[in-house]
PDB file of all heavy atoms in Angstrom:
ATOM      1  N   GLU A  10       3.407  -3.290  33.022  1.00 92.00           N
ATOM      2  CA  GLU A  10       1.991  -2.877  33.105  1.00 92.00           C
ATOM      3  C   GLU A  10       1.339  -3.806  34.160  1.00 92.00           C
ATOM      4  O   GLU A  10       0.654  -3.359  34.991  1.00 92.00           O
ATOM      5  CB  GLU A  10       1.234  -2.999  31.785  1.00 92.00           C
ATOM      6  CG  GLU A  10       1.585  -1.900  30.869  1.00 92.00           C
ATOM      7  CD  GLU A  10       0.920  -1.966  29.544  1.00 92.00           C
ATOM      8  OE1 GLU A  10       0.109  -2.911  29.272  1.00 92.00           O
ATOM      9  OE2 GLU A  10       1.182  -1.132  28.636  1.00 92.00           O
ATOM     10  N   GLU A  11       1.675  -5.153  34.136  1.00 94.00           N
ATOM     11  CA  GLU A  11       1.026  -6.029  35.164  1.00 94.00           C
ATOM     12  C   GLU A  11       1.690  -5.802  36.451  1.00 94.00           C
ATOM     13  O   GLU A  11       0.848  -5.763  37.546  1.00 94.00           O
ATOM     14  CB  GLU A  11       1.462  -7.501  34.673  1.00 94.00           C
ATOM     15  CG  GLU A  11       0.844  -8.539  35.737  1.00 94.00           C
ATOM     16  CD  GLU A  11      -0.536  -8.526  35.913  1.00 94.00           C
ATOM     17  OE1 GLU A  11      -1.305  -8.077  35.008  1.00 94.00           O
ATOM     18  OE2 GLU A  11      -0.990  -9.068  36.916  1.00 94.00           O
ATOM     19  N   ALA A  12       2.835  -5.387  36.513  1.00 94.00           N
ATOM     20  CA  ALA A  12       3.597  -5.122  37.909  1.00 94.00           C
ATOM     21  C   ALA A  12       2.832  -3.803  38.480  1.00 94.00           C
ATOM     22  O   ALA A  12       2.430  -3.780  39.607  1.00 94.00           O
ATOM     23  CB  ALA A  12       4.962  -4.906  37.790  1.00 94.00           C
ATOM     24  N   ALA A  13       2.597  -2.874  37.572  1.00 93.00           N
ATOM     25  CA  ALA A  13       1.939  -1.623  38.046  1.00 93.00           C
ATOM     26  C   ALA A  13       0.583  -1.933  38.630  1.00 93.00           C
ATOM     27  O   ALA A  13       0.195  -1.352  39.599  1.00 93.00           O
ATOM     28  CB  ALA A  13       1.876  -0.614  36.885  1.00 93.00           C
ATOM     29  N   ARG A  14      -0.134  -2.839  37.958  1.00 95.00           N
ATOM     30  CA  ARG A  14      -1.558  -3.153  38.406  1.00 95.00           C
ATOM     31  C   ARG A  14      -1.448  -3.820  39.718  1.00 95.00           C
ATOM     32  O   ARG A  14      -2.215  -3.502  40.701  1.00 95.00           O
ATOM     33  CB  ARG A  14      -2.202  -4.036  37.370  1.00 95.00           C
ATOM     34  CG  ARG A  14      -2.788  -3.337  36.168  1.00 95.00           C
ATOM     35  CD  ARG A  14      -3.755  -4.166  35.291  1.00 95.00           C
ATOM     36  NE  ARG A  14      -2.980  -5.246  34.648  1.00 95.00           N
ATOM     37  CZ  ARG A  14      -2.348  -5.111  33.401  1.00 95.00           C
ATOM     38  NH1 ARG A  14      -2.431  -3.959  32.797  1.00 95.00           N
ATOM     39  NH2 ARG A  14      -1.745  -6.063  32.893  1.00 95.00           N
ATOM     40  N   ARG A  15      -0.461  -4.770  39.893  1.00 97.00           N
ATOM     41  CA  ARG A  15      -0.391  -5.521  41.086  1.00 97.00           C
ATOM     42  C   ARG A  15       0.036  -4.614  42.257  1.00 97.00           C
ATOM     43  O   ARG A  15      -0.481  -4.828  43.375  1.00 97.00           O
ATOM     44  CB  ARG A  15       0.566  -6.680  40.898  1.00 97.00           C
ATOM     45  CG  ARG A  15       0.024  -7.871  40.077  1.00 97.00           C
ATOM     46  CD  ARG A  15       1.048  -8.971  40.103  1.00 97.00           C
ATOM     47  NE  ARG A  15       0.754 -10.037  39.136  1.00 97.00           N
ATOM     48  CZ  ARG A  15       1.294 -11.141  39.000  1.00 97.00           C
ATOM     49  NH1 ARG A  15       2.359 -11.427  39.833  1.00 97.00           N
ATOM     50  NH2 ARG A  15       0.904 -12.024  38.077  1.00 97.00           N
ATOM     51  N   VAL A  16       1.024  -3.797  41.969  1.00 97.00           N
ATOM     52  CA  VAL A  16       1.443  -2.931  43.013  1.00 97.00           C
ATOM     53  C   VAL A  16       0.284  -1.870  43.440  1.00 97.00           C
ATOM     54  O   VAL A  16       0.085  -1.684  44.638  1.00 97.00           O
ATOM     55  CB  VAL A  16       2.668  -2.071  42.609  1.00 97.00           C
ATOM     56  CG1 VAL A  16       3.005  -0.963  43.494  1.00 97.00           C
ATOM     57  CG2 VAL A  16       3.900  -2.985  42.463  1.00 97.00           C
ATOM     58  N   GLN A  17      -0.443  -1.480  42.429  1.00 97.00           N
ATOM     59  CA  GLN A  17      -1.415  -0.456  42.775  1.00 97.00           C
ATOM     60  C   GLN A  17      -2.556  -1.169  43.646  1.00 97.00           C
ATOM     61  O   GLN A  17      -3.027  -0.640  44.670  1.00 97.00           O
ATOM     62  CB  GLN A  17      -2.065   0.174  41.691  1.00 97.00           C
ATOM     63  CG  GLN A  17      -3.184   1.200  41.889  1.00 97.00           C
ATOM     64  CD  GLN A  17      -3.601   2.059  40.837  1.00 97.00           C
ATOM     65  OE1 GLN A  17      -3.177   1.874  39.705  1.00 97.00           O
ATOM     66  NE2 GLN A  17      -4.270   3.180  41.212  1.00 97.00           N
ATOM     67  N   ALA A  18      -2.914  -2.444  43.230  1.00 97.00           N
ATOM     68  CA  ALA A  18      -3.863  -3.198  43.989  1.00 97.00           C
ATOM     69  C   ALA A  18      -3.383  -3.417  45.461  1.00 97.00           C
ATOM     70  O   ALA A  18      -4.186  -3.363  46.399  1.00 97.00           O
ATOM     71  CB  ALA A  18      -4.204  -4.532  43.358  1.00 97.00           C
ATOM     72  N   LEU A  19      -2.107  -3.807  45.542  1.00 97.00           N
ATOM     73  CA  LEU A  19      -1.660  -4.081  46.924  1.00 97.00           C
ATOM     74  C   LEU A  19      -1.506  -2.806  47.759  1.00 97.00           C
ATOM     75  O   LEU A  19      -1.962  -2.848  48.957  1.00 97.00           O
ATOM     76  CB  LEU A  19      -0.054  -4.493  46.788  1.00 97.00           C
ATOM     77  CG  LEU A  19       0.715  -4.875  47.937  1.00 97.00           C
ATOM     78  CD1 LEU A  19       0.017  -6.000  48.718  1.00 97.00           C
ATOM     79  CD2 LEU A  19       2.171  -5.133  47.624  1.00 97.00           C
ATOM     80  N   LEU A  20      -1.274  -1.645  47.202  1.00 97.00           N
ATOM     81  CA  LEU A  20      -1.241  -0.371  48.055  1.00 97.00           C
ATOM     82  C   LEU A  20      -2.711   0.078  48.231  1.00 97.00           C
ATOM     83  O   LEU A  20      -2.910   0.555  49.399  1.00 97.00           O
ATOM     84  CB  LEU A  20      -0.595   0.719  47.037  1.00 97.00           C
ATOM     85  CG  LEU A  20       0.936   0.402  46.945  1.00 97.00           C
ATOM     86  CD1 LEU A  20       1.461   1.544  45.946  1.00 97.00           C
ATOM     87  CD2 LEU A  20       1.707   0.606  48.233  1.00 97.00           C
ATOM     88  N   GLU A  21      -3.684  -0.122  47.404  1.00 97.00           N
ATOM     89  CA  GLU A  21      -4.996   0.141  47.707  1.00 97.00           C
ATOM     90  C   GLU A  21      -5.552  -0.766  48.859  1.00 97.00           C
ATOM     91  O   GLU A  21      -6.309  -0.287  49.741  1.00 97.00           O
ATOM     92  CB  GLU A  21      -5.848  -0.075  46.467  1.00 97.00           C
ATOM     93  CG  GLU A  21      -5.787   1.069  45.463  1.00 97.00           C
ATOM     94  CD  GLU A  21      -6.598   2.366  46.075  1.00 97.00           C
ATOM     95  OE1 GLU A  21      -7.434   2.310  46.819  1.00 97.00           O
ATOM     96  OE2 GLU A  21      -5.928   3.406  45.759  1.00 97.00           O
ATOM     97  N   GLU A  22      -5.196  -1.928  48.890  1.00 97.00           N
ATOM     98  CA  GLU A  22      -5.578  -2.893  50.031  1.00 97.00           C
ATOM     99  C   GLU A  22      -4.988  -2.417  51.268  1.00 97.00           C
ATOM    100  O   GLU A  22      -5.659  -2.329  52.183  1.00 97.00           O
ATOM    101  CB  GLU A  22      -5.150  -4.395  49.605  1.00 97.00           C
ATOM    102  CG  GLU A  22      -5.564  -5.356  50.691  1.00 97.00           C
ATOM    103  CD  GLU A  22      -5.134  -6.710  50.306  1.00 97.00           C
ATOM    104  OE1 GLU A  22      -5.056  -7.085  49.086  1.00 97.00           O
ATOM    105  OE2 GLU A  22      -5.014  -7.578  51.318  1.00 97.00           O
ATOM    106  N   ALA A  23      -3.690  -2.167  51.227  1.00 96.00           N
ATOM    107  CA  ALA A  23      -3.052  -1.643  52.401  1.00 96.00           C
ATOM    108  C   ALA A  23      -3.683  -0.298  52.975  1.00 96.00           C
ATOM    109  O   ALA A  23      -3.891  -0.133  54.216  1.00 96.00           O
ATOM    110  CB  ALA A  23      -1.492  -1.424  52.229  1.00 96.00           C
ATOM    111  N   LYS A  24      -4.066   0.547  52.141  1.00 96.00           N
ATOM    112  CA  LYS A  24      -4.747   1.809  52.565  1.00 96.00           C
ATOM    113  C   LYS A  24      -5.994   1.458  53.059  1.00 96.00           C
ATOM    114  O   LYS A  24      -6.371   2.081  54.117  1.00 96.00           O
ATOM    115  CB  LYS A  24      -4.899   2.619  51.267  1.00 96.00           C
ATOM    116  CG  LYS A  24      -5.351   4.076  51.615  1.00 96.00           C
ATOM    117  CD  LYS A  24      -5.300   5.012  50.410  1.00 96.00           C
ATOM    118  CE  LYS A  24      -5.722   6.315  50.773  1.00 96.00           C
ATOM    119  NZ  LYS A  24      -5.805   7.342  49.605  1.00 96.00           N
ATOM    120  N   ALA A  25      -6.823   0.575  52.465  1.00 97.00           N
ATOM    121  CA  ALA A  25      -8.153   0.288  53.021  1.00 97.00           C
ATOM    122  C   ALA A  25      -8.003  -0.326  54.369  1.00 97.00           C
ATOM    123  O   ALA A  25      -8.897  -0.287  55.224  1.00 97.00           O
ATOM    124  CB  ALA A  25      -8.891  -0.695  52.020  1.00 97.00           C
ATOM    125  N   GLN A  26      -6.926  -1.013  54.641  1.00 94.00           N
ATOM    126  CA  GLN A  26      -6.709  -1.654  55.976  1.00 94.00           C
ATOM    127  C   GLN A  26      -6.144  -0.731  56.964  1.00 94.00           C
ATOM    128  O   GLN A  26      -5.953  -1.069  58.143  1.00 94.00           O
ATOM    129  CB  GLN A  26      -5.759  -2.919  55.805  1.00 94.00           C
ATOM    130  CG  GLN A  26      -6.337  -4.066  55.045  1.00 94.00           C
ATOM    131  CD  GLN A  26      -5.358  -5.230  54.883  1.00 94.00           C
ATOM    132  OE1 GLN A  26      -4.283  -5.065  55.212  1.00 94.00           O
ATOM    133  NE2 GLN A  26      -5.894  -6.271  54.155  1.00 94.00           N
ATOM    134  N   GLY A  27      -5.782   0.517  56.577  1.00 93.00           N
ATOM    135  CA  GLY A  27      -5.318   1.419  57.430  1.00 93.00           C
ATOM    136  C   GLY A  27      -3.726   1.419  57.559  1.00 93.00           C
ATOM    137  O   GLY A  27      -3.178   2.104  58.387  1.00 93.00           O
ATOM    138  N   LEU A  28      -3.107   0.490  56.820  1.00 95.00           N
ATOM    139  CA  LEU A  28      -1.671   0.519  56.889  1.00 95.00           C
ATOM    140  C   LEU A  28      -0.933   1.725  56.194  1.00 95.00           C
ATOM    141  O   LEU A  28       0.115   2.047  56.692  1.00 95.00           O
ATOM    142  CB  LEU A  28      -1.249  -0.905  56.257  1.00 95.00           C
ATOM    143  CG  LEU A  28       0.261  -1.086  56.217  1.00 95.00           C
ATOM    144  CD1 LEU A  28       0.935  -1.127  57.704  1.00 95.00           C
ATOM    145  CD2 LEU A  28       0.578  -2.418  55.512  1.00 95.00           C
ATOM    146  N   LEU A  29      -1.597   2.199  55.220  1.00 96.00           N
ATOM    147  CA  LEU A  29      -1.093   3.305  54.393  1.00 96.00           C
ATOM    148  C   LEU A  29      -1.963   4.415  54.639  1.00 96.00           C
ATOM    149  O   LEU A  29      -3.170   4.351  54.539  1.00 96.00           O
ATOM    150  CB  LEU A  29      -0.849   3.008  53.047  1.00 96.00           C
ATOM    151  CG  LEU A  29       0.219   1.966  52.723  1.00 96.00           C
ATOM    152  CD1 LEU A  29       0.336   1.735  51.079  1.00 96.00           C
ATOM    153  CD2 LEU A  29       1.603   2.400  53.098  1.00 96.00           C
ATOM    154  N   LEU A  30      -1.432   5.660  54.661  1.00 96.00           N
ATOM    155  CA  LEU A  30      -2.137   6.888  54.689  1.00 96.00           C
ATOM    156  C   LEU A  30      -2.441   7.346  53.249  1.00 96.00           C
ATOM    157  O   LEU A  30      -3.502   7.805  52.878  1.00 96.00           O
ATOM    158  CB  LEU A  30      -1.373   8.042  55.329  1.00 96.00           C
ATOM    159  CG  LEU A  30      -1.059   7.785  56.882  1.00 96.00           C
ATOM    160  CD1 LEU A  30      -0.002   8.785  57.300  1.00 96.00           C
ATOM    161  CD2 LEU A  30      -2.268   7.702  57.691  1.00 96.00           C
TER     162      LEU A  30
END
Side-chain angles (χ1 to χ4, degrees):
E10 291 179 359
E11 178 62 20
R14 281 191 292 274
R15 289 186 190 186
V16 168
Q17 184 164 12
L19 180 64
L20 293 171
E21 280 295 323
E22 181 180 332
K24 187 174 179 184
Q26 294 173 357
L28 177 60
L29 293 180
L30 300 168

